Amino acid sequence: MKLKILVTAGDGIGPEVTNEAVSVLKEVAAIGGHQFTFSERRIGGVAIVKDGTPLPADTLAEALDSDAVLLGAVGGNEFNSLAPDKRPEAGLLGIRSALGGFANLRPAFAFKELAVNSPLRPEVIDGADILFVRELLGGLYFGQPREWDRAKGEAWNTMRYTKGEVVRVARIAFELARKRNKKVTSVDKANVLEVSQLWRATVIEVAADFPDVSLEHQYVDAMSMHLMNRPRDFDVVVTENLFGDILSDEAGVITGSLGMLPSATIGGKVNLYEPIHGSAPDIAGKGLANPFGAILTGALILRHSAGLEAEALAIETAVRRVLEQGFRTPDLARANPEGFPVLSTTEVGVKVRENVKALLVNA
Ligand code: NAD
Ligand code: IPM
Ligand code: MN
């Protein structure tokens, strides 16, 4: 299997966590005789500093010429006063839009070893397994007009969706639900917003093609509570861009840390893979970052861009084993009543590779 992967590590903890993800992928390639090639390009704050733009042309060209893009994270406090279109985050939105993937899959799985790390009761989260399907190219993030008119003291953004944009992401949600527990929860704010009324009506239309999948609707405010109260009741959750951004971070409470959550963006020219967390400037450069989310993102590359399901599963199992063996990163050792060894980012990466090797060599 040949795979050309572009790594855009970005800012803050981005380089630290993507390094571990790449090392795990290299281990998989070495064991299976696969040819994965990795190139690196700048994006985000590091690109603003070196190239004067958050998304340099050669980064985009290389991305479009790759089979998959693995992105770390972008953003840093030193850029916070810049206008939205000049910030590191603009580079991320730019590459998302250019690659064209509209369905951002954000699986959130509660590892039982991490239950103690969650502020939720173990019996509430035990077995929770949710797949968020976040629409990634529409809504407030990309809607026009948008402006901050400083003279007037007024600013506006536009939440806009076309029916076609809702249809295509809803179809992905139903198709994925078919392979899981056959339940879709569509999240909107149809009691207030016209955009959400279009969203809901369209999802209902799409559902007619999937009679074997059940559909329910939740308002986003209530959903944020249901997620904490009864996360096991959800299977596939489909929602628009901003709601998906917010609810998927909330899922970090179910999984015990934001650092556990991977994502894959599909449906465009080139799939884009990124852990859902940000650049975590508060812990960057100290070896404190949890690389599991990035490593699990690597597993999603194998699943969605390489068709290497057994290898993807091996990475996911290896992560579980490392947790079973009692190793933790600092964010996962908040309570740590059992005094588990707390490892650095790179030490955790080594443990995952050891387990991947044991799993794949003996397969
Ligand atoms: P964040 O996700 O970077 O951090 C939130 C909190 O979670 C912090 O306390 C951080 O230390 C912790 N955290 C996050 N990832 C972790 C990991 N892997 N291991 C351990 N702890 C982790 O969000 P923020 O602080 O709101 O934003 C920081 C910057 O990141 C901003 O510039 C923001 O725009 C950007 N951001 C980028 C992305 C992305 O590139 N995909 C995603 C979210 C935020
Ligand atoms: C995410 C991030 C991004 C988003 C930001 C950094 C643009 O929060 O990937 O969840 O809002 O999509
Ligand atoms: Mn986010």
Side-chain angles (χ1 to χ4, degrees), residues 260-274:
M260 295 304 297
L261 298 170
S263 92
T265 303
I266 63 170
K269 295 186 202 113
V270 179
N271 291 349
L272 174 64
Y273 297 87
E274 30 175 336

Side-chain angles (χ1 to χ4, degrees), residues 145-345:
R146 54 183 296 161
E147 193 179 334
W148 179 7
D149 186 328
R150 288 164 198 267
K152 272 201 206 156
E154 192 181 343
W156 54 94
N157 291 93
T158 304
M159 186 188 268
R160 182 186 292 265
Y161 270 101
T162 64
K163 184 172 175 182
E165 286 171 326
V166 184
V167 166
R168 64 184 186 174
V169 74
R171 292 200 73 86
I172 296 230
F174 280 97
E175 276 157 15
L176 290 166
R178 249 185 192 159
K179 297 186 199 145
R180 295 172 46 105
N181 290 324
K182 300 190 168 50
K183 179 178 177 188
V184 169
T185 302
S186 173
V187 178
D188 60 40
K189 188 73 186 170
N191 49 346
V192 177
L193 304 175
E194 286 79 359
V195 177
S196 282
Q197 291 178 337
L198 167 81
W199 179 278
R200 190 177 284 215
T202 305
V203 171
I204 289 171
E205 271 185 48
V206 170
D209 288 341
F210 298 86
D212 50 323
V213 178
S214 74
L215 170 66
E216 69 165 1
H217 306 276
Q218 294 289 350
Y219 297 129
V220 63
D221 48 354
M223 183 64 183
S224 68
M225 176 198 58
H226 295 318
L227 262 184
M228 299 291 94
N229 259 335
R230 46 182 188 88
R232 278 179 308 200
D233 288 355
F234 302 103
D235 179 24
V236 173
V237 174
V238 64
T239 190
E240 68 90 45
N241 207 342
L242 182 66
F243 298 162
D245 178 44
I246 297 169
L247 293 178
S248 57
D249 261 39
E250 196 188 14
V253 177
I254 301 165
T255 61
S257 170
L258 192 53
M260 295 304 297
L261 298 170
S263 92
T265 303
I266 63 170
K269 295 186 202 113
V270 179
N271 291 349
L272 174 64
Y273 297 87
E274 30 175 336
I276 85 157
H277 62 72
S279 56
D282 52 337
I283 58 164
K286 299 179 186 153
L288 299 174
N290 175 346
F292 285 128
I295 290 169
L296 292 168
T297 299
L300 296 183
I301 297 182
L302 299 186
R303 174 166 300 132
H304 295 286
S305 287
L308 294 175
E309 179 60 27
E311 287 79 356
L313 268 174
I315 294 178
E316 289 162 352
T317 307
V319 167
R320 179 189 306 279
R321 292 224 175 140
V322 174
L323 297 173
E324 283 166 1
Q325 288 156 4
F327 301 111
R328 299 286 183 270
T329 45
D331 56 306
L332 299 177
R334 179 160 61 173
N336 202 7
E338 301 181 60
F340 285 134
V342 178
L343 303 188
S344 70
T345 311

